[in-house]
Amino acid sequence: MTTTRIAVRAGDPRAHVDLVVGSLAPRLVSRTSNSAHVAVSAAGMLLLGGDVVHVEVDVGPDSTLELEDVGGTVAYPATGAASRWTLDARVGSGGTLLWRALPLVVAEGARVERRTELGLDTGARAVIRETIVLGRQGESGGTLTSQVSIADADGPVLFETLEVDGSAPEPGVLGPARVLDAVVAVGFRPGAEPGAMQLDQPGAVARHLGDQTHESRLDDVWARWSTGARSLGGVVAPAPASGGSPPREVEARSIE
């Protein structure tokens, strides 16, 4: 297993960014003195049975990191071994993490174990979007165990586990739906959204269940909540205009 690492620290005149290619290839899109915008794509074919993907994200104090997926991920049929995807993220005091992940498609016959752990220091905040799709077109989908654990300086904020099997839908979980779209905001109180769950600690979760990803209305929720998180921290550098040069891939390199 090779760990993908993405880290940002505020600096003068530009933020210091660490990018290490593992199963995923992070690429710097743009940055300012206290923020970085990084695109993430697969470094090879993912996810096959037995694959282990480990991602470390480290956002420094008073820094902002915006991550975006360049392509979604398909978990392909496995002959026995499950594939594993682990995200370990830490956001320093006053920092902001924004990650808009594209769909994870769990193909029929695939077995996926997914774990997200996020730690927030005092005054830190994060907005993360995750979309799960059971099956490719015409498939019922494979099996998925997804665990999310989020804590701040005072203790646990959100802990949940989802276990689904596309071949055996369960009432009260996903039921007949094959798409679960979710936006999670923590570390601040985002604007109220219809149907969103407000957490005990500052934060909220908005979800959509449906048959197609384009039916989800969470694009607007993501836009509003991520804008709210940005307004509390540094300004995220804009992406280059369409038609420009593609971002440069950096392997095991620090960018001064």
Side-chain angles (χ1 to χ4, degrees):
M1 178 187 69
T2 304
T3 296
T4 300
R5 175 174 168 79
I6 305 168
V8 60
R9 289 287 186 278
D12 185 15
R14 296 176 298 176
H16 175 82
V17 182
D18 269 342
L19 302 178
V20 178
V21 174
S23 298
L24 303 180
R27 305 178 181 188
L28 180 64
V29 177
S30 57
R31 57 180 164 160
T32 67
S33 62
N34 65 345
S35 68
H37 180 183
V38 175
V40 181
S41 61
M45 191 173 181
L46 294 175
L47 286 163
L48 303 177
D51 279 351
V52 178
V53 177
H54 183 227
V55 184
E56 287 184 356
V57 174
D58 187 2
V59 183
D62 299 315
S63 301
T64 296
L65 175 62
E66 180 178 11
L67 297 174
E68 65 169 315
D69 284 359
V70 173
T73 302
V74 176
Y76 294 95
T79 56
S83 55
R84 294 176 174 83
W85 183 295
T86 302
L87 167 64
D88 291 311
R90 167 66 60 178
V91 185
S93 178
T96 304
L97 171 63
L98 306 172
W99 192 340
R100 184 176 184 174
L102 291 178
L104 166 64
V105 179
V106 184
E108 195 167 313
R111 293 173 52 208
V112 181
E113 298 173 4
R114 182 177 176 123
R115 178 177 62 84
T116 298
E117 290 198 3
L118 171 61
L120 304 174
D121 289 345
T122 302
R125 63 207 71 87
V127 183
I128 297 175
R129 184 173 185 177
E130 293 188 334
T131 307
I132 295 166
V133 181
L134 290 179
R136 295 170 291 187
Q137 187 66 33
E139 293 182 341
S140 60
T143 63
L144 169 73
T145 300
S146 178
Q147 185 179 89
V148 176
S149 177
I150 302 176
D152 63 14
D154 296 321
V157 174
L158 175 67
F159 182 87
E160 61 181 10
T161 300
L162 172 69
E163 296 182 356
V164 293
D165 183 346
S167 64
E170 293 187 45
V173 184
L174 295 190
R178 56 185 293 268
V179 174
L180 171 60
D181 194 9
V183 179
V184 179
V186 288
F188 69 107
R189 288 289 181 195
E193 297 289 345
M197 176 179 68
Q198 296 295 319
L199 302 178
D200 225 17
Q201 300 299 317
V205 180
R207 291 191 175 94
H208 165 83
L209 295 177
D211 293 325
Q212 305 292 333
T213 56
H214 68 264
E215 295 173 349
S216 175
R217 299 182 178 180
L218 294 189
D219 284 347
D220 291 341
V221 175
W222 164 265
R224 286 190 286 268
W225 286 5
S226 58
T227 297
R230 286 189 185 99
S231 70
L232 298 171
V235 178
V236 176
S242 59
S245 300
R248 179 169 55 92
E249 182 174 314
V250 180
E251 296 195 17
R253 182 179 302 175
S254 295
I255 303 173
E256 299 292 348

